[in-house]
Amino acid sequence: MSKTLFEKIWDKHVVDTLSDGTSQLYIDRLYCHEVTSPQAFEGLRERKLKPFRPQQITCVVDHNIPTLNQDKPIEDPISRNQVDTLMRNASEFGLTCYGLLHSKNGIVHVVGPETGLTQPGITIVCGDSHTSTHGAMGCIAFGIGTSEVEMALATQCIMQRKPKTMRISIEGKLGKGVTAKDIALYIIKQMTTGGATGYFVEYAGEAIRNTTMEQRLTICNLSIEMGARGGMIAPDEVTFAYLKDREFAPRGDEWNRKIAEWRLLYSDSDAKFDKEVLFHAEDIEPMVTFGTNPGMGMGINNKIPSLDTIDESSKSSFQKALAYMGFQDGESLIGKPIDYVFLGSCTNGRIEDFRAFSSIVKGRKKNPRVIAWLVPGSWQVERQIHAEGLDKILTEAGFELRQPGCSACLAMNDDKIPAGKYAVSTSNRNFEGRQGPGARTILAGPLVAAAAAVTGVITDPRDLL
Amino acid sequence: MKEKFNILTSTCVPLPLENVDTDQIIPARFLKATSREGFGDNLFRDWRFNKEGQPNPDFVLNQKKFHGQILVAGKNFGSGSSREHAAWALAGYGFRVVVSSFFADIFKNNSMNNGLVPVVVSPNFLAEIFSSVFSNPETTITVDLPNQTITDNMTSHTEKFEINAYKKGNLVNGLDDIDYLLANEDKIVAFERNRK
């Protein structure tokens, strides 16, 4: 019977199926962070339980930590308590935890792949919607709520309806100056923010085959923004080359055995998806968002849609979004002055993103009006920034590096964009107030962010390449 | 043992906005708590209160004529972050049902795990309910979970709604996934043994 990649992995992880079709799904790895785990651990204690499989759980602190002075106690007592609570829980229950300043600390969805914990063919859950990131390595990974974190802690299983399958194919070749972030924002614009709800997406096609692993991580990361349960890309030589010799990747005979297994992880040529969508890479330009959800994006040289092109039922949301952003329908964003630039997050906080940003700012200077926050996705990324001399390029251009964490993506810590200010952000959400009450987020890739940082206005990065 | 959900008849709070994301339902700065309590106070915080902390008179939760245990919302409710705190905030505030024509997946699951019933209706029926509630704020809606029906008591129209049978069973009987999973631990051990 021919199967999709998703079905191959899902079916191998079903412990039991209920009469209504709900699956009891076995979870190979549970990632935990400090914001969505405290109540889950408390629940375990109340039931007088311990984690069922401690070795299959990895904890990191990332959401609520500062990105400066991490060697000092966290100033906000509530944040400090939340971070301490995860450290205490991990210690009490004997779980691996990468705390502040630990050499392996970083944003959980950066740490998993770069340490080799995330591997093809496994199931991964975490109390965070961007868990879809890990699917780039050819596994099933998705976000869950705190109650399900408790279930996974207690039994290494959760109860799930099997989602429908969708394949999004991108054929052709990407243009110069077009990044993985632009691919993802383009897809979400076409699909809309609820367009993939109920589906697990597999990305395929020539343009996807030609991406690097970090580009794949960016694309899968944003799957949730079109409502998808998760996103995945079949493992190939790019995946194996990325994974080889990473700390927790298999070695020697075990590596050879695993590679042979992983080579079987692909959708059969006659496998049926519930929905198939096709896009062409040549249609994709550098993107920016103009509204208050990731689907409200456009090619950087386009104009914001005019009101009369919007569906009657969506008109009031559209108007509300533009009013919040201080934009007019029908206007262009090129040349719009911006106030902040944020490079980082689980979407674009990796070494290739810092290389891309550096390639634009090299030999140029940060615009004096712009406040820029450059936040590496992990200490491993930070070390590599130094090893490649990117830190010198950035410093020369007037930029400073901060310390790893989720930072301004959701602004739980002090990295908040002030009300009314425009931020070109390489993160994943531009909801009202996401980066701080009243903050106005323009989502973009690292090249667009770099171009804005040096010119002080929305600029097509291809003009600076 | 959780509270059981059977049949609820209540007035409604109408929120005719689409794509209401979980950052609006409960902003990130309120996720720092380590318990499940108190989130109701911060439900829709930045829509309910202005910068100075004063209630925003234009927001429906501040309008006395609308009240009840049922929230009626525009399509794609609960999109964005997986924060279960959104469900805790809605339940903590006093809602027991959210009605919409479309829910984001993770939010839908989180609701059902917290005794908050997500009822999916057709776009036409959603428009009809909004119309009834706006023309008469005392309109009641009846949600019958065992029979999976929702009735607009002003028009007397009823629709059947879909809901995951296993989750429905948990809601109706006040049960919990964890109790089920723990009772089946031997199946999990057998699965682990067989895959080696």
Side-chain angles (χ1 to χ4, degrees), chain A residues 26 53 82 146-147 161, chain B residues 31 35 84 164 166 180 192:
Chain A
Y26 186 84
R53 295 286 178 255
Q82 194 179 52
T146 302
S147 295
R161 283 314 299 256
Chain B
L31 305 184
S35 73
E84 192 165 318
N164 174 275
Y166 166 73
Y180 176 83
E192 288 175 327

Side-chain angles (χ1 to χ4, degrees), chain B residues 127-195:
Chain B
E128 190 177 301
I129 294 173
F130 276 130
S131 177
S132 298
V133 175
F134 278 114
S135 65
N136 176 11
E138 291 307 310
T139 298
T140 61
I141 302 284
T142 298
V143 173
D144 179 338
L145 185 54
N147 289 310
Q148 291 175 233
T149 60
I150 172 170
T151 305
D152 174 342
N153 293 318
M154 177 149 132
T155 61
S156 301
H157 289 154
T158 299
E159 233 184 40
K160 274 210 86 116
F161 63 88
E162 289 290 309
I163 188 163
N164 174 275
Y166 166 73
K167 289 295 191 200
K168 172 185 158 182
N170 284 359
L171 287 163
V172 167
N173 297 301
L175 298 173
D176 198 290
D177 280 3
I178 299 195
D179 295 320
Y180 176 83
L181 288 167
L182 288 170
N184 284 294
E185 208 175 279
D186 52 339
K187 281 205 179 101
I188 305 173
V189 173
F191 169 85
E192 288 175 327
R193 219 178 21 244
N194 289 337
R195 81 206 289 234

Side-chain angles (χ1 to χ4, degrees), chain B residues 44-64:
Chain B
F44 290 120
R45 181 74 196 203
D46 293 334
W47 283 352
R48 277 166 75 193
F49 301 99
N50 62 21
K51 275 196 294 283
E52 292 79 37
Q54 295 306 309
N56 172 4
D58 295 330
F59 188 63
V60 69
L61 287 185
N62 295 324
Q63 294 166 351
K64 282 198 162 59

Side-chain angles (χ1 to χ4, degrees), chain A residues 397-418:
Chain A
F399 294 95
E400 280 174 12
L401 283 173
R402 296 172 82 98
Q403 296 169 316
C406 296
S407 184
C409 174
L410 82 165
M412 264 189 93
N413 68 0
D414 289 337
D415 305 342
K416 291 174 165 53
I417 307 292

